[in-house]
Amino acid sequence: MKKTISTVYPYLQTADRTRSSLADLPLETILDILDALFAPRQLIIIDIFGHNTRKRGEYDMEGKVSSQTRVILRTPPLHITATTCRLFQYMYRRSRPTVWGKHLYLGRAYHVNLEHDIFYVRVHQETNYAEWDRAGNPHLDPLFMILDGIRNLATSVDYIFPGLGLFYLLHLNPLGKVLNVLVPVSELEKNVDPASGELQLSLVLVPIGDRHMIQTSFWTYQEEWGYFKDWSEDQLRQRFLHNRPSSEEERQRWERTWRLCPAPELKAYLVDERRLNDPVVSGFKDCFAHKDIF
């Protein structure tokens, strides 16, 4: 049995013979350890930097915003671990079977699990929906479905409320199953595990109930999460109320876009703000200061 396993998996070699090493353990034990190492869900950051072409409050109707927008995939947290040796790399790729991200701005692809990992989107420049859905043709936009394949998308409550941000995420990822709203909390993981003040290997997500109070970056008072959730779900139901498809062909096309695609399930979690790098992620505060996004 050991001989069969050793011919399939790369060898783990001891770097320093004078020190104890993982390589001294039986291969079955090493594989169990590496399976546990790569089992946690990763929180992977995606930054979207839009190019603001507006002048005197006018919107760009020629597609310049999308064509000059940069969608950047940041390095997954466990990627650096996979560079340790060939065995680590092999086990990491087995847990993350999809090479994804080559089509984005930097042209770098990483092994990820599109079903399991959470992709946290930070949008740094707001755009109006008329700029990426001109004349009801969102499928012609260069960024249409650019985040296709991701099943667990995440963002901040600052971005999905007001609702144009919610529609933009549907435009980028119309087939996503879950939209996670992450609320940053200082040293959350220290509170969960008082014995350690450092970030844990496994991502800690604490579910938020409807009565949980949330403070957004553009409101001076707190509001219950249930309010944001109900409002957002209502927006998802009413998104095409004023623009119904004019033909069956158009309906079928819209079913593959933000206008009529299935609504994702909304979930909300507290997360340690160190995971998100920047608690205020959407850029909404600056946009409201310019008063030109609506």
Side-chain angles (χ1 to χ4, degrees):
M1 182 65 178
K2 290 184 179 180
K3 183 177 181 180
T4 303
I5 293 178
S6 64
T7 59
V8 174
Y9 296 91
Y11 286 104
L12 184 63
Q13 297 180 342
T14 302
D16 185 347
R17 296 283 182 185
T18 64
R19 296 179 144 189
S20 17
S21 168
L22 196 63
D24 297 329
L25 301 175
L27 181 57
E28 291 85 349
T29 303
I30 297 173
L31 296 180
D32 287 340
I33 293 173
L34 294 185
D35 274 334
L37 175 66
F38 296 126
R41 305 172 75 179
Q42 295 187 101
L43 182 64
I44 304 173
I45 304 293
I46 295 178
D47 281 313
I48 300 180
F49 296 94
H51 184 75
N52 189 2
T53 60
R54 299 175 196 158
K55 296 180 180 179
R56 293 183 293 276
E58 297 178 358
Y59 296 115
D60 163 47
M61 301 302 292
E62 299 177 358
K64 295 179 182 178
V65 168
S66 290
S67 64
Q68 297 181 39
T69 293
R70 295 174 294 162
V71 182
I72 299 174
L73 175 67
R74 302 302 181 184
T75 306
L78 290 176
H79 174 76
I80 189 65
T81 308
T83 63
T84 303
C85 67
R86 287 188 302 144
L87 179 58
F88 275 60
Q89 184 181 80
Y90 178 88
M91 295 297 289
Y92 174 75
R93 290 181 176 180
R94 194 177 74 166
S95 70
R96 266 75 189 177
T98 304
V99 179
W100 191 87
K102 186 71 174 178
H103 63 296
L104 302 181
Y105 179 74
L106 295 180
R108 291 199 300 248
Y110 296 99
H111 279 267
V112 299
N113 190 327
L114 293 171
E115 300 281 344
H116 188 58
D117 292 332
I118 297 177
F119 293 78
Y120 184 71
V121 179
R122 304 188 299 194
V123 182
H124 300 276
Q125 179 63 53
E126 173 66 4
T127 61
N128 186 274
Y129 79 94
E131 296 171 322
W132 44 265
D133 186 6
R134 298 183 302 280
N137 294 306
H139 60 290
L140 300 180
D141 182 72
L143 299 182
F144 171 55
M145 294 188 72
I146 198 168
L147 302 183
D148 183 41
I150 296 175
R151 291 297 178 263
N152 286 282
L153 208 63
T155 192
S156 75
V157 71
D158 287 347
Y159 191 62
I160 69 166
F161 186 88
L164 290 183
L166 181 63
F167 297 152
Y168 191 55
L169 292 177
L170 289 182
H171 172 61
L172 302 178
N173 183 34
L175 302 181
K177 302 297 184 183
V178 179
L179 178 58
N180 302 282
V181 179
L182 304 186
V183 179
V185 176
S186 177
E187 296 188 324
L188 173 70
E189 296 190 20
K190 181 179 180 180
N191 296 332
V192 172
D193 182 8
S196 174
E198 302 299 324
L199 290 174
Q200 306 301 297
L201 178 64
S202 182
L203 173 65
V204 175
L205 297 173
V206 179
I208 294 176
D210 287 348
R211 302 299 298 272
H212 185 91
M213 303 302 291
I214 292 177
Q215 175 74 57
T216 70
S217 67
F218 51 89
W219 278 7
T220 57
Y221 57 90
Q222 292 185 331
E223 185 59 80
E224 293 181 351
W225 159 246
Y227 170 77
F228 292 108
K229 181 179 179 182
D230 290 344
W231 190 92
S232 299
E233 289 176 341
D234 184 63
Q235 290 293 300
L236 288 172
R237 288 190 296 268
Q238 303 296 330
R239 64 186 117 149
F240 63 97
L241 180 63
H242 302 296
N243 295 282
R244 297 188 181 278
S246 59
S247 65
E248 182 58 30
E249 180 182 3
E250 187 172 59
R251 169 175 285 278
Q252 292 178 4
R253 186 170 68 248
W254 281 10
E255 286 175 349
R256 299 189 298 272
T257 73
W258 74 278
R259 289 178 172 269
L260 286 176
C261 67
E265 180 183 2
L266 288 177
K267 296 183 178 180
Y269 298 95
L270 299 178
V271 63
D272 195 300
E273 64 181 17
R274 291 171 292 177
R275 297 277 186 185
L276 307 182
N277 298 326
D278 182 2
V280 181
V281 298
S282 68
F284 251 109
K285 204 167 186 179
D286 294 334
C287 289
F288 276 121
H290 290 94
K291 299 180 180 178
D292 63 354
I293 67 171
F294 296 112

